[in-house]
């Protein structure tokens, strides 16, 4: 019982900080949730490609379009994270609308919403797929929106750079990425 009491504040802190929590498969790289009844082995490259497809889809589900660039890809012991940075200025008045559109897209596509952070300055939405991929949209410094997709635990492999072309400057080998610098009549407005 004492251990459980210490664990709950840790979970609250992790969610408050926006650290994505994704489910893991087994140590051999099998992924849960495959409808065939058999577990399928996925490697990090395949997981990265699946993450890219998920990020592409949610960005297409946000209307009107926003300009985005690839963020850094990171790997961990048995998983991979892909990131996209939104280069369109999203005004404070439009941030909740942006999050609502991502959340609506995920709900329509059978993702489970894990958490919603309603913070006025740094709001976020976290979701998970049936196969254990964690996805999020969060606002951070200077109001920049970031999208992330975390794979569950998969088989270790090399991971290539994303192949999707950003719909604006690629900022290849630029880190950190610039702050949002593209104006939109809708997203950069006041919402009035």
């Amino acid at each position: 019982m004492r251990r459980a009491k210490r664990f709950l504040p840790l979970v609250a802190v992790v969610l408050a900080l926006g650290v994505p929590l994704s489910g893991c498969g087994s140590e051999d790289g099998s992924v849960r949730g495959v409808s065939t009844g058999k577990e399928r082995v996925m490697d990090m490259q395949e997981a990265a490609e699946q993450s890219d497809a998920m990020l592409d889809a949610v960005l297409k589900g946000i209307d009107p379009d926003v300009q985005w660039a690839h963020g850094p890809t990171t790997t961990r012991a048995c998983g991979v994270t892909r990131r996209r940075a939104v280069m369109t200025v999203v005004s404070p008045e439009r941030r909740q609308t942006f999050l609502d559109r991502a959340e609506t897209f995920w709900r329509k596509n059978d993702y489970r919403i894990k958490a919603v952070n309603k913070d006025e300055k740094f709001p976020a939405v976290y979701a998970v797929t049936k196969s254990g991929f964690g996805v999020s949209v969060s606002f951070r410094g200077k109001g920049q929106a970031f999208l992330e997709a975390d794979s569950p635990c998969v088989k270790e492999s090399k991971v290539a750079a994303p192949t999707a072309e950003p719909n604006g400057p690629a900022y290849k080998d630029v880190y950190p990425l610039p702050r949002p610098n593209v104006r939109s009549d809708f997203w950069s407005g006041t919402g009035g």
Side-chain angles (χ1 to χ4, degrees):
M1 185 67 159
R2 174 180 266 179
R3 190 175 191 187
K5 286 182 180 178
R6 284 189 303 200
F7 182 70
L8 289 176
L10 175 64
V11 170
V13 168
V14 167
L15 287 174
L17 291 174
V19 176
L21 299 174
S22 61
C24 282
S26 66
E27 288 181 23
D28 68 357
S30 56
V31 177
R32 293 181 304 194
V34 178
S35 59
T36 62
K38 268 186 126 178
E39 292 192 349
R40 182 184 172 289
V41 176
M42 177 183 283
D43 67 23
M44 287 176 151
Q45 178 60 40
E46 291 169 317
E49 291 167 5
Q50 177 68 31
S51 295
D52 288 337
M54 291 165 48
L55 294 174
D56 288 342
V58 72
L59 281 164
K60 285 178 186 161
I62 294 174
D63 184 44
D65 290 346
V66 292
Q67 199 172 100
W68 60 269
H70 289 288
T73 295
T74 55
T75 58
R76 52 194 186 283
C78 67
V80 62
T81 301
R82 291 286 214 203
R83 295 175 178 84
R84 305 276 173 88
V86 175
M87 304 311 294
T88 301
V89 175
V90 180
S91 69
E93 296 83 4
R94 294 287 193 193
R95 289 178 191 158
Q96 191 57 54
T97 301
F98 189 90
L99 292 171
D100 289 345
R101 292 191 181 170
E103 183 177 347
T104 298
F105 173 83
W106 287 332
R107 286 185 189 281
K108 283 183 181 176
N109 287 281
D110 222 13
Y111 291 44
R112 181 176 56 83
I113 303 303
K114 288 191 325 184
V116 176
N117 180 349
K118 294 280 188 181
D119 184 85
E120 196 171 302
K121 194 170 183 180
F122 302 114
V125 176
Y126 304 90
V128 66
T129 68
K130 287 181 179 179
S131 58
F133 282 80
V135 291
S136 66
V137 176
S138 60
F139 283 89
R140 300 184 197 151
K142 303 290 185 192
Q144 190 163 25
F146 291 90
L147 293 88
E148 294 186 5
D150 292 312
S151 78
C153 202
V154 293
K155 184 179 174 185
E156 187 175 358
S157 71
K158 291 188 179 208
V159 178
T163 58
E165 289 294 324
N167 61 353
Y171 299 107
K172 189 170 170 68
D173 300 323
V174 174
Y175 188 78
L177 289 171
R179 295 298 187 181
N181 54 19
V182 177
R183 303 292 301 177
S184 160
D185 289 343
F186 180 80
W187 292 114
S188 308
T190 59

